[in-house]
Amino acid sequence: MGRKVRLREIAPGDHRTLIGFDRASARNRSPQVGGYRHWAAHRAGAADSGDNLHFAIETLHGRMLVGSMCTIQADPLSDRFSYGVGIGPQHRRCGYAGDAITVLLAHMFGQRRYRKCEVSIYGGNLASLSLHGALGFREEGRLRDTELQRGGIRYVVLMSITADEFAELHPDFTAAHPPVRPKRGRHWRPERGRHWHAQHLR
């Protein structure tokens, strides 16, 4: 749980709102992290596996659904993961995205024992680049995106943050999400399951 939002399971009643967020974003041509789309990410929610999971972003006050996010490319062997996040157009510029990302990082680093998070952001998405920079992400490189060259050359910015960097920059969140237990080797992971995130991220 963060200062403004909490992460919870996607409920059937959320689908209509998530679809509405996607449609509004398409009309406004507003970019998300990695081209994130709420409904595309969550319509196969029953297929959650391992640490690749889907979440609703809900405000602490009023319990209003304001966005969604999902972990992707979670690889226990390399201890790396990524995520997609999107906030409904009418709920942006309220600090919800940054708070939700911080909650997710605290949990994945502190309890799931991952060591690095990597994200890909379109170079033209200045708001997202600025947000991730403020959260402590560092730019690792830029890749040309051959599928997005209409109207000019576009590129993807690769950004990352390690568990140690996050702990140094966000000691309050690290203290609130301590490790579950010492790590026992590269192949040991904490218990997983479809319902772990509902209780641990509140």
Side-chain angles (χ1 to χ4, degrees):
M1 183 165 58
R3 297 181 178 87
K4 296 184 177 183
V5 303
R6 71 176 185 129
L7 305 184
R8 61 165 175 77
E9 290 183 357
I10 298 290
D14 297 330
H15 293 167
R16 184 173 181 178
T17 301
L18 296 178
I19 293 173
F21 288 163
D22 281 337
R23 289 175 177 170
S25 294
R27 287 195 300 269
N28 299 333
R29 296 183 179 180
S30 52
Q32 305 285 6
V33 176
Y36 184 81
R37 290 183 297 165
H38 300 272
W39 180 236
H42 298 298
R43 62 185 175 185
D48 286 359
S49 61
D51 288 333
N52 288 324
L53 300 159
H54 305 138
F55 305 98
I57 302 174
E58 183 179 78
T59 61
L60 295 180
H61 301 291
R63 296 295 175 90
M64 178 172 56
L65 178 64
V66 296
S68 68
M69 67 189 314
C70 63
T71 55
I72 56 177
Q73 300 172 355
D75 183 1
L77 295 180
S78 67
D79 286 333
R80 298 184 180 190
F81 72 98
S82 185
Y83 62 83
V85 60
I87 301 295
Q90 65 271 42
H91 303 299
R92 291 174 191 160
R93 301 183 184 278
C94 296
Y96 297 144
D99 199 35
I101 292 170
T102 303
V103 172
L104 180 68
L105 292 178
H107 186 81
M108 295 298 284
F109 288 148
Q111 295 193 29
R112 307 306 289 177
R113 306 299 285 163
Y114 281 86
R115 303 305 303 163
K116 188 175 185 179
C117 177
E118 301 171 324
V119 293
S120 300
I121 305 170
Y122 293 139
N125 192 345
L126 300 181
S128 185
L129 292 173
S130 177
L131 169 63
H132 282 81
L135 292 175
F137 282 75
R138 298 182 180 182
E139 182 176 331
E140 290 197 347
R142 301 188 178 198
L143 300 176
R144 184 168 174 174
D145 191 336
T146 57
E147 295 183 359
L148 292 173
Q149 293 187 19
R150 302 175 207 166
I153 297 176
R154 301 189 184 183
Y155 57 90
V156 172
V157 179
L158 304 179
M159 302 188 76
S160 69
I161 187 170
T162 65
D164 291 339
E165 291 169 342
F166 178 81
E168 183 177 352
L169 292 170
H170 305 278
D172 51 341
F173 272 93
T174 304
H177 297 76
V180 175
R181 67 190 74 172
K183 197 169 184 180
R184 300 177 183 172
R186 289 193 62 77
H187 300 290
W188 179 85
R189 307 298 295 169
E191 294 82 1
R192 295 192 181 97
R194 280 192 49 74
H195 303 293
W196 68 263
H197 54 290
Q199 60 186 9
H200 285 87
L201 294 184
R202 291 182 180 179

